[in-house]
Amino acid sequence: EECIQMVLEKKYNYVFIDQNLIGMDGVSTIRELEKLVTWKINYTICSASDLSKEQKENLSSITRFYFMEKPFDIQKIKKAFSDLD
């Protein structure tokens, strides 16, 4: 929920989020942001493992989305930025 509040206050265009958050996971956070924001946001979600089939289906309507599996390095982060631009 803190992420959602921060994005709404500052109008970020890029959100890099961990799937395994306490309280609300990354997929749920992205779905909630998509309901609330009026501007384009690019999302990168990272996780220690691949997303479940249900999580992937939940994100299928979001076109500005990139998944990155941990561990990651600066090259993977750069790729996420370039793939979303």
Side-chain angles (χ1 to χ4, degrees):
E1 287 107 13
E2 184 179 338
C3 171
I4 293 169
Q5 192 61 36
M6 290 174 63
V7 171
L8 294 175
E9 288 175 7
K10 301 244 184 195
K11 293 193 175 184
Y12 291 101
N13 294 319
Y14 194 93
V15 175
F16 190 93
I17 192 166
D18 196 310
Q19 170 57 18
N20 302 314
L21 298 172
I22 297 171
M24 184 183 283
D25 66 23
V27 171
S28 299
T29 301
I30 291 171
R31 297 303 308 163
E32 188 64 23
L33 282 169
E34 284 293 291
K35 293 178 198 172
L36 299 172
V37 300
T38 57
W39 63 95
K40 179 183 139 190
I41 297 179
N42 294 308
Y43 302 98
T44 293
I45 192 166
C46 61
S47 180
S49 60
D50 199 5
L51 298 175
S52 71
K53 181 180 177 183
E54 180 182 340
Q55 290 167 325
K56 288 177 181 176
E57 287 172 0
N58 204 359
L59 292 170
S60 64
S61 65
I62 300 173
T63 58
R64 299 165 321 278
F65 169 77
Y66 188 88
F67 175 76
M68 184 183 311
E69 193 169 337
K70 294 178 185 176
F72 51 86
D73 57 30
I74 192 67
Q75 295 306 318
K76 287 183 182 179
I77 294 170
K78 286 180 180 179
K79 181 169 178 13
F81 277 97
S82 68
D83 286 356
L84 289 168
D85 283 337

